[in-house]
Amino acid sequence: MAVMDLDRVYFCCLNGNNEDEVIIRHIDRDMDYESELIFLEEDFWLNNVQAQVEPPYLENDGELILESLRRLMGPSIKDAPPVALTQPQSARVFRYLELKEEKGRLEAEAKRLKAEMDRMKALIVAYMGSSCTAVYEDASGSYTVTFNPSYKESIVKESLLRLKESHPDIYTEYVSVSESRRFSIKYAASDAA
């Protein structure tokens, strides 16, 4: 709208890939919002693109950031020298450790609840015997419990190793290797302490 100097734009789109369901909406130009966007775009262009400075990560999803870093940096370098963290980075280290401790407490409670749920499930399944379905009814409604089998095909590790030895060409064609990295923080007390 800013580029074309338009005060109103209409959008028309098919809904559900069905020509009988068309949605038409309009948007009116917001000069304040437009000015803010232009300012932010100019700042990004001057201070990041032209200055060749990577912008900070603003995403809340840590996995999304790690995936972006994998694509940007490529494979890890095992023999690279350690990076010295700065004082501002230490706040992230300490926050990570706090969150890890809190997660541990919550996981302990979740394990306790899971164990009790597993116990209740086992008692119900024992009562069901070899049946895959049970029903409970009362004045409020009915509950149907199912314990159905499921089947999946897999290759156990021993068979995969035999395949690699006897048919390395087939193994190489169908088995892919991916890199994963394990993150950890270890504390060591200072000698001066």
Side-chain angles (χ1 to χ4, degrees):
M1 294 172 79
V3 172
M4 300 298 293
D5 193 26
L6 300 173
D7 293 326
R8 176 175 276 185
V9 172
Y10 288 88
F11 294 95
C12 178
C13 66
L14 296 176
N15 184 30
N17 206 18
N18 180 349
E19 64 186 43
D20 296 329
E21 295 182 43
V22 176
I23 297 174
I24 300 174
R25 300 284 186 266
H26 76 273
I27 184 170
D28 292 320
R29 191 171 184 179
D30 182 339
M31 296 303 283
D32 293 334
Y33 184 60
E34 185 178 297
S35 297
E36 181 182 353
L37 281 177
I38 290 171
F39 171 78
L40 292 171
E41 290 164 356
E42 181 180 20
D43 178 69
F44 177 77
W45 180 256
L46 295 174
N47 296 315
N48 294 108
V49 176
Q50 287 190 334
Q52 295 185 351
V53 174
E54 291 182 28
Y57 284 100
L58 302 174
E59 291 85 359
N60 290 327
D61 185 344
E63 287 301 318
L64 183 63
I65 294 171
L66 289 175
E67 181 58 35
S68 174
L69 290 171
R70 278 186 211 99
R71 284 195 309 267
L72 179 68
M73 295 187 305
S76 57
I77 303 169
K78 187 79 172 143
D79 299 332
V83 174
L85 296 176
T86 61
Q87 188 66 31
Q89 289 295 326
S90 69
R92 290 183 174 142
V93 169
F94 297 136
R95 180 65 180 142
Y96 177 87
L97 293 173
E98 286 174 3
L99 292 169
K100 184 178 177 183
E101 187 178 318
E102 182 181 351
K103 181 177 179 264
R105 285 191 305 270
L106 295 172
E107 282 176 346
E109 177 64 11
K111 278 184 183 178
R112 186 190 68 74
L113 295 171
K114 171 92 168 70
E116 184 63 16
M117 289 170 61
D118 287 346
R119 183 173 174 274
M120 292 298 111
K121 177 172 110 177
L123 293 172
I124 294 167
V125 169
Y127 187 80
M128 290 170 64
S130 60
S131 178
C132 295
T133 308
V135 178
Y136 170 75
E137 293 184 37
D138 63 16
S140 68
S142 67
Y143 298 87
T144 302
V145 178
T146 58
F147 192 56
N148 293 323
S150 65
Y151 307 97
K152 70 176 184 175
E153 294 180 357
S154 64
I155 300 176
V156 294
K157 187 175 182 179
E158 293 79 20
S159 298
L160 197 58
L161 292 174
R162 282 198 324 269
L163 175 66
K164 184 177 183 179
E165 289 174 5
S166 48
H167 301 287
D169 52 330
I170 295 173
Y171 177 88
T172 304
E173 183 178 347
Y174 290 101
V175 174
S176 60
V177 177
S178 61
E179 177 184 303
S180 65
R181 296 169 74 177
R182 188 172 163 267
F183 180 82
S184 71
I185 297 176
K186 295 178 184 173
Y187 173 72
S190 171
D191 292 337

mmCIF file of all heavy atoms in Angstrom, residues 47-76:
data_model
loop_
_atom_site.group_PDB
_atom_site.id
_atom_site.type_symbol
_atom_site.label_atom_id
_atom_site.label_comp_id
_atom_site.label_asym_id
_atom_site.label_seq_id
_atom_site.Cartn_x
_atom_site.Cartn_y
_atom_site.Cartn_z
ATOM 1 N N ASN A 47 21.559 -1.310 9.629
ATOM 2 C CA ASN A 47 22.345 -1.832 10.751
ATOM 3 C C ASN A 47 22.603 -3.331 10.709
ATOM 4 O O ASN A 47 23.398 -3.831 11.518
ATOM 5 C CB ASN A 47 21.668 -1.469 12.071
ATOM 6 C CG ASN A 47 21.628 0.033 12.267
ATOM 7 O OD1 ASN A 47 22.607 0.719 12.040
ATOM 8 N ND2 ASN A 47 20.473 0.539 12.655
ATOM 9 N N ASN A 48 21.912 -4.049 9.806
ATOM 10 C CA ASN A 48 22.158 -5.481 9.711
ATOM 11 C C ASN A 48 22.645 -5.887 8.324
ATOM 12 O O ASN A 48 23.727 -6.450 8.202
ATOM 13 C CB ASN A 48 20.902 -6.280 10.085
ATOM 14 C CG ASN A 48 20.538 -6.091 11.541
ATOM 15 O OD1 ASN A 48 19.565 -5.420 11.846
ATOM 16 N ND2 ASN A 48 21.311 -6.656 12.443
ATOM 17 N N VAL A 49 21.848 -5.573 7.284
ATOM 18 C CA VAL A 49 22.203 -6.020 5.938
ATOM 19 C C VAL A 49 23.464 -5.317 5.453
ATOM 20 O O VAL A 49 24.463 -5.960 5.132
ATOM 21 C CB VAL A 49 21.039 -5.800 4.949
ATOM 22 C CG1 VAL A 49 21.450 -6.175 3.536
ATOM 23 C CG2 VAL A 49 19.813 -6.590 5.390
ATOM 24 N N GLN A 50 23.446 -3.980 5.417
ATOM 25 C CA GLN A 50 24.606 -3.258 4.897
ATOM 26 C C GLN A 50 25.810 -3.345 5.836
ATOM 27 O O GLN A 50 26.946 -3.399 5.386
ATOM 28 C CB GLN A 50 24.249 -1.793 4.628
ATOM 29 C CG GLN A 50 23.357 -1.651 3.402
ATOM 30 C CD GLN A 50 23.181 -0.212 2.963
ATOM 31 O OE1 GLN A 50 23.297 0.709 3.769
ATOM 32 N NE2 GLN A 50 22.909 -0.027 1.686
ATOM 33 N N ALA A 51 25.578 -3.369 7.137
ATOM 34 C CA ALA A 51 26.676 -3.476 8.101
ATOM 35 C C ALA A 51 27.162 -4.916 8.247
ATOM 36 O O ALA A 51 28.149 -5.165 8.936
ATOM 37 C CB ALA A 51 26.228 -2.934 9.454
ATOM 38 N N GLN A 52 26.461 -5.860 7.598
ATOM 39 C CA GLN A 52 26.783 -7.289 7.657
ATOM 40 C C GLN A 52 26.859 -7.778 9.108
ATOM 41 O O GLN A 52 27.791 -8.466 9.517
ATOM 42 C CB GLN A 52 28.076 -7.588 6.903
ATOM 43 C CG GLN A 52 27.954 -7.321 5.425
ATOM 44 C CD GLN A 52 29.180 -7.720 4.643
ATOM 45 O OE1 GLN A 52 30.217 -8.067 5.208
ATOM 46 N NE2 GLN A 52 29.073 -7.668 3.330
ATOM 47 N N VAL A 53 25.842 -7.392 9.893
ATOM 48 C CA VAL A 53 25.723 -7.804 11.288
ATOM 49 C C VAL A 53 24.456 -8.645 11.410
ATOM 50 O O VAL A 53 23.368 -8.190 11.061
ATOM 51 C CB VAL A 53 25.628 -6.574 12.233
ATOM 52 C CG1 VAL A 53 25.346 -7.002 13.661
ATOM 53 C CG2 VAL A 53 26.886 -5.742 12.131
ATOM 54 N N GLU A 54 24.621 -9.886 11.901
ATOM 55 C CA GLU A 54 23.456 -10.748 12.051
ATOM 56 C C GLU A 54 22.520 -10.179 13.110
ATOM 57 O O GLU A 54 22.972 -9.758 14.176
ATOM 58 C CB GLU A 54 23.890 -12.150 12.466
ATOM 59 C CG GLU A 54 24.624 -12.882 11.381
ATOM 60 C CD GLU A 54 25.002 -14.283 11.812
ATOM 61 O OE1 GLU A 54 24.294 -14.865 12.655
ATOM 62 O OE2 GLU A 54 26.020 -14.773 11.303
ATOM 63 N N PRO A 55 21.223 -10.166 12.830
ATOM 64 C CA PRO A 55 20.271 -9.685 13.845
ATOM 65 C C PRO A 55 20.165 -10.700 14.972
ATOM 66 O O PRO A 55 20.444 -11.886 14.767
ATOM 67 C CB PRO A 55 18.956 -9.566 13.074
ATOM 68 C CG PRO A 55 19.096 -10.515 11.939
ATOM 69 C CD PRO A 55 20.557 -10.563 11.599
ATOM 70 N N PRO A 56 19.767 -10.268 16.158
ATOM 71 C CA PRO A 56 19.619 -11.214 17.269
ATOM 72 C C PRO A 56 18.412 -12.121 17.036
ATOM 73 O O PRO A 56 17.477 -11.757 16.331
ATOM 74 C CB PRO A 56 19.390 -10.311 18.486
ATOM 75 C CG PRO A 56 18.802 -9.062 17.911
ATOM 76 C CD PRO A 56 19.422 -8.900 16.548
ATOM 77 N N TYR A 57 18.460 -13.310 17.646
ATOM 78 C CA TYR A 57 17.320 -14.215 17.565
ATOM 79 C C TYR A 57 16.228 -13.708 18.496
ATOM 80 O O TYR A 57 16.477 -13.444 19.667
ATOM 81 C CB TYR A 57 17.723 -15.639 17.970
ATOM 82 C CG TYR A 57 18.498 -16.334 16.878
ATOM 83 C CD1 TYR A 57 19.875 -16.421 16.924
ATOM 84 C CD2 TYR A 57 17.829 -16.885 15.798
ATOM 85 C CE1 TYR A 57 20.575 -17.055 15.907
ATOM 86 C CE2 TYR A 57 18.520 -17.517 14.786
ATOM 87 C CZ TYR A 57 19.898 -17.603 14.850
ATOM 88 O OH TYR A 57 20.571 -18.228 13.847
ATOM 89 N N LEU A 58 15.023 -13.549 17.964
ATOM 90 C CA LEU A 58 13.891 -13.071 18.748
ATOM 91 C C LEU A 58 12.844 -14.155 18.961
ATOM 92 O O LEU A 58 11.878 -13.940 19.679
ATOM 93 C CB LEU A 58 13.246 -11.859 18.051
ATOM 94 C CG LEU A 58 14.181 -10.671 17.802
ATOM 95 C CD1 LEU A 58 13.470 -9.599 16.993
ATOM 96 C CD2 LEU A 58 14.691 -10.108 19.107
ATOM 97 N N GLU A 59 13.052 -15.319 18.343
ATOM 98 C CA GLU A 59 12.069 -16.390 18.439
ATOM 99 C C GLU A 59 12.002 -16.927 19.864
ATOM 100 O O GLU A 59 12.978 -16.903 20.597
ATOM 101 C CB GLU A 59 12.426 -17.553 17.497
ATOM 102 C CG GLU A 59 12.278 -17.220 16.030
ATOM 103 C CD GLU A 59 13.515 -16.551 15.457
ATOM 104 O OE1 GLU A 59 14.488 -16.328 16.192
ATOM 105 O OE2 GLU A 59 13.501 -16.216 14.266
ATOM 106 N N ASN A 60 10.834 -17.414 20.256
ATOM 107 C CA ASN A 60 10.662 -18.051 21.556
ATOM 108 C C ASN A 60 10.935 -19.543 21.493
ATOM 109 O O ASN A 60 11.089 -20.186 22.517
ATOM 110 C CB ASN A 60 9.245 -17.813 22.084
ATOM 111 C CG ASN A 60 9.039 -16.369 22.479
ATOM 112 O OD1 ASN A 60 9.954 -15.717 22.940
ATOM 113 N ND2 ASN A 60 7.838 -15.870 22.281
ATOM 114 N N ASP A 61 10.984 -20.104 20.302
ATOM 115 C CA ASP A 61 11.151 -21.541 20.118
ATOM 116 C C ASP A 61 12.625 -21.875 19.987
ATOM 117 O O ASP A 61 13.249 -21.624 18.958
ATOM 118 C CB ASP A 61 10.375 -21.976 18.868
ATOM 119 C CG ASP A 61 10.381 -23.478 18.671
ATOM 120 O OD1 ASP A 61 11.203 -24.174 19.295
ATOM 121 O OD2 ASP A 61 9.541 -23.955 17.891
ATOM 122 N N GLY A 62 13.197 -22.463 21.050
ATOM 123 C CA GLY A 62 14.615 -22.811 21.042
ATOM 124 C C GLY A 62 14.976 -23.785 19.941
ATOM 125 O O GLY A 62 16.048 -23.690 19.336
ATOM 126 N N GLU A 63 14.075 -24.748 19.632
ATOM 127 C CA GLU A 63 14.355 -25.711 18.571
ATOM 128 C C GLU A 63 14.439 -25.017 17.212
ATOM 129 O O GLU A 63 15.247 -25.396 16.369
ATOM 130 C CB GLU A 63 13.292 -26.816 18.543
ATOM 131 C CG GLU A 63 13.413 -27.801 19.690
ATOM 132 C CD GLU A 63 14.758 -28.518 19.727
ATOM 133 O OE1 GLU A 63 15.265 -28.925 18.658
ATOM 134 O OE2 GLU A 63 15.310 -28.665 20.837
ATOM 135 N N LEU A 64 13.618 -23.989 17.007
ATOM 136 C CA LEU A 64 13.664 -23.236 15.756
ATOM 137 C C LEU A 64 15.007 -22.504 15.627
ATOM 138 O O LEU A 64 15.618 -22.483 14.561
ATOM 139 C CB LEU A 64 12.502 -22.236 15.695
ATOM 140 C CG LEU A 64 12.359 -21.420 14.426
ATOM 141 C CD1 LEU A 64 12.073 -22.321 13.230
ATOM 142 C CD2 LEU A 64 11.239 -20.405 14.578
ATOM 143 N N ILE A 65 15.489 -21.928 16.727
ATOM 144 C CA ILE A 65 16.786 -21.247 16.722
ATOM 145 C C ILE A 65 17.901 -22.248 16.424
ATOM 146 O O ILE A 65 18.778 -21.996 15.595
ATOM 147 C CB ILE A 65 17.041 -20.527 18.058
ATOM 148 C CG1 ILE A 65 16.041 -19.387 18.259
ATOM 149 C CG2 ILE A 65 18.465 -19.991 18.128
ATOM 150 C CD1 ILE A 65 16.082 -18.753 19.633
ATOM 151 N N LEU A 66 17.867 -23.415 17.089
ATOM 152 C CA LEU A 66 18.912 -24.425 16.860
ATOM 153 C C LEU A 66 18.905 -24.915 15.420
ATOM 154 O O LEU A 66 19.966 -25.119 14.822
ATOM 155 C CB LEU A 66 18.729 -25.591 17.833
ATOM 156 C CG LEU A 66 19.068 -25.295 19.288
ATOM 157 C CD1 LEU A 66 18.725 -26.488 20.162
ATOM 158 C CD2 LEU A 66 20.523 -24.912 19.444
ATOM 159 N N GLU A 67 17.724 -25.106 14.836
ATOM 160 C CA GLU A 67 17.642 -25.532 13.442
ATOM 161 C C GLU A 67 18.240 -24.471 12.523
ATOM 162 O O GLU A 67 18.962 -24.782 11.570
ATOM 163 C CB GLU A 67 16.191 -25.830 13.051
ATOM 164 C CG GLU A 67 16.008 -26.313 11.630
ATOM 165 C CD GLU A 67 16.788 -27.571 11.295
ATOM 166 O OE1 GLU A 67 16.947 -28.439 12.175
ATOM 167 O OE2 GLU A 67 17.268 -27.682 10.140
ATOM 168 N N SER A 68 17.959 -23.210 12.804
ATOM 169 C CA SER A 68 18.525 -22.115 12.018
ATOM 170 C C SER A 68 20.049 -22.106 12.144
ATOM 171 O O SER A 68 20.765 -21.924 11.163
ATOM 172 C CB SER A 68 17.943 -20.779 12.501
ATOM 173 O OG SER A 68 18.564 -19.705 11.851
ATOM 174 N N LEU A 69 20.551 -22.316 13.358
ATOM 175 C CA LEU A 69 21.999 -22.348 13.573
ATOM 176 C C LEU A 69 22.643 -23.521 12.843
ATOM 177 O O LEU A 69 23.737 -23.392 12.290
ATOM 178 C CB LEU A 69 22.306 -22.431 15.074
ATOM 179 C CG LEU A 69 21.982 -21.171 15.880
ATOM 180 C CD1 LEU A 69 22.118 -21.438 17.368
ATOM 181 C CD2 LEU A 69 22.875 -20.017 15.462
ATOM 182 N N ARG A 70 21.975 -24.684 12.812
ATOM 183 C CA ARG A 70 22.502 -25.848 12.087
ATOM 184 C C ARG A 70 22.677 -25.523 10.609
ATOM 185 O O ARG A 70 23.680 -25.874 9.999
ATOM 186 C CB ARG A 70 21.578 -27.056 12.241
ATOM 187 C CG ARG A 70 21.762 -27.815 13.517
ATOM 188 C CD ARG A 70 20.898 -29.096 13.535
ATOM 189 N NE ARG A 70 20.504 -29.385 14.882
ATOM 190 C CZ ARG A 70 19.340 -29.108 15.450
ATOM 191 N NH1 ARG A 70 18.393 -28.524 14.754
ATOM 192 N NH2 ARG A 70 19.096 -29.393 16.700
ATOM 193 N N ARG A 71 21.659 -24.863 10.039
ATOM 194 C CA ARG A 71 21.741 -24.507 8.617
ATOM 195 C C ARG A 71 22.822 -23.445 8.384
ATOM 196 O O ARG A 71 23.538 -23.497 7.401
ATOM 197 C CB ARG A 71 20.392 -24.007 8.128
ATOM 198 C CG ARG A 71 19.381 -25.093 7.913
ATOM 199 C CD ARG A 71 18.191 -24.611 7.088
ATOM 200 N NE ARG A 71 17.597 -23.396 7.577
ATOM 201 C CZ ARG A 71 16.576 -23.332 8.421
ATOM 202 N NH1 ARG A 71 16.030 -24.429 8.863
ATOM 203 N NH2 ARG A 71 16.091 -22.172 8.811
ATOM 204 N N LEU A 72 22.930 -22.492 9.289
ATOM 205 C CA LEU A 72 23.869 -21.382 9.127
ATOM 206 C C LEU A 72 25.311 -21.824 9.332
ATOM 207 O O LEU A 72 26.194 -21.485 8.551
ATOM 208 C CB LEU A 72 23.518 -20.271 10.133
ATOM 209 C CG LEU A 72 24.405 -19.035 10.128
ATOM 210 C CD1 LEU A 72 24.200 -18.258 8.836
ATOM 211 C CD2 LEU A 72 24.087 -18.150 11.318
ATOM 212 N N MET A 73 25.567 -22.605 10.385
ATOM 213 C CA MET A 73 26.939 -22.943 10.734
ATOM 214 C C MET A 73 27.425 -24.243 10.122
ATOM 215 O O MET A 73 28.619 -24.494 10.074
ATOM 216 C CB MET A 73 27.077 -23.028 12.258
ATOM 217 C CG MET A 73 26.852 -21.701 12.942
ATOM 218 S SD MET A 73 27.188 -21.709 14.707
ATOM 219 C CE MET A 73 26.162 -23.024 15.304
ATOM 220 N N GLY A 74 26.530 -25.108 9.704
ATOM 221 C CA GLY A 74 26.948 -26.389 9.165
ATOM 222 C C GLY A 74 27.352 -27.339 10.283
ATOM 223 O O GLY A 74 27.022 -27.124 11.447
ATOM 224 N N PRO A 75 28.103 -28.396 9.932
ATOM 225 C CA PRO A 75 28.477 -29.381 10.943
ATOM 226 C C PRO A 75 29.383 -28.779 12.015
ATOM 227 O O PRO A 75 30.107 -27.816 11.769
ATOM 228 C CB PRO A 75 29.226 -30.453 10.147
ATOM 229 C CG PRO A 75 29.150 -30.083 8.722
ATOM 230 C CD PRO A 75 28.585 -28.717 8.612
ATOM 231 N N SER A 76 29.350 -29.395 13.183
ATOM 232 C CA SER A 76 30.180 -28.921 14.286
ATOM 233 C C SER A 76 31.638 -29.273 14.041
ATOM 234 O O SER A 76 31.966 -30.176 13.290
ATOM 235 C CB SER A 76 29.703 -29.541 15.591
ATOM 236 O OG SER A 76 29.737 -30.940 15.485
#
